Amino acid sequence: MRKPILKVALASTLVFGAVGAQAAFAQPAKQNQPVNVFDKKVVNKINAQNIYNNIDYLSQTPRVAGTESEYNAVQYIKSQFESYGYETEIQPFTFYGYTPPSSMEVTIDGYEGELQPRPFTYSVNGDVSGELTFAGLGTVEELEGADLTGKIALIQRGSISFAEKVLNAAEKGAAGVIVFNNSEGPLSGTLGEHNEEYVPALALSKAEGEAILALLESGETLTASLTIEGAEAGEKVSHNVIATKKPTNKKKANDDIIVVGSHHDSVAGAPGANDDASGTAMTIELARVFKDIPTDTEIRFVTFGAEELGLIGSYHYVDSLSDDEISRTIANFNLDMVGSKDAGDLVMMTLDGKENLVTELSQSSSERLNGEPTPVYQGGRSDHVPFAEAGIPAALFIHSPTEPWYHSPEDTIDKISKEKLQDVAEIVGAAIYDKARFDNMGPKPKKKHKMKAAPEMVHELDVK
């Protein structure tokens, strides 16, 4: 049964725990380790320039779920799959979605400087003004006895969700809410779902918020105006794109299914070159690479819609599978943010933090190709989650820490590293072929790699 959208968004969001981008990993040196002849059949076909070119095409404009630009991306992905001879399906699904504002503005009398506000997903339209009042973290306890009637509440990020902050301030009569970040960089967040009780709310950076707060604490009386136009919530349609490679020889085929996936949508205002045109373009390239390679396993190349709104497309895909298909799906390789030159090193994330078939195959391939196994950590908040919850071995491939341009207009093609694209594609491609080739004898017993503490990361749908 499909999960409610809010439950999906919150469940997938809270898996990571604390957010931040402070973790760093030692860069494994690329060594000239011997690779087996089977790896070469895949590795020698991978072309990072192809991946780069598809990223460039897809990242010309934001691809927000349910919009024309996302559908154009869907059609492009379908045409690429079909150009390689794949049977390709577009799988539509409906969801209660959100169209971000077409314009927004925050002005504060007495503040010198231009503010760069950002909307929250599900921010409501409005044109409000009033005295600016600092409301701390916006908790019920801090607002006890407060009267915010007609005022604009300035609230710091932290402790509770953005939605709770907005609702708590609205209950005390606030006409609008400005939330500022508690860490460096812009703030991109969500209120989780549409709510008639919301008042207009926008986000500012830590530097902007602290500068405004300093004026208030110096005794100045400030008047703030907040305008949001063009926001809209309602039922929308997004799509998954599914290209299927059947086993080459039916008589020698097994019943297994491997899913290679990524999400093709982006957040509003972000071209999404790394998040996640990079994963989408790599999925397309792996489909090209495998089209003429004999395999005894069914391989599905899937790009998902509406990931940024709560993994909606991947949940729909998994929910659409029969019990037989779920039992036969032995692996999900989830490619998300796999090409930024400004991000850290490659890691794999599993929902429970434990190794599985995907991580074992990929650690073996990365050890053969790079001399060191790719580390495994615990983490969710991407499209491997629905697969893992259905009992399917799944892992997220991502670089950590994430790049400073995450979820921003600066997530552009010039930030992409062809070397990283080549590296991840080789690791994943070799891992898939290790299992899907005809003469595969199954994963060999391998030494257990010591699990490390989970890195702190920023990724997808921040709710608090």
Side-chain angles (χ1 to χ4, degrees), residues 37 55 133 384:
V37 66
I55 294 172
T133 301
H384 61 300

Side-chain angles (χ1 to χ4, degrees), residues 8 31 54 56 74 83 89 96 114 130 170 185 192 200 223 233 241 269 286 352 382 418 425 455:
V8 170
Q31 304 176 23
N54 280 325
D56 191 25
V74 165
S83 72
E89 172 192 357
Y96 193 87
E114 184 178 353
T223 299
V241 187
L286 288 172
D352 59 7
S382 190
K418 293 178 186 177

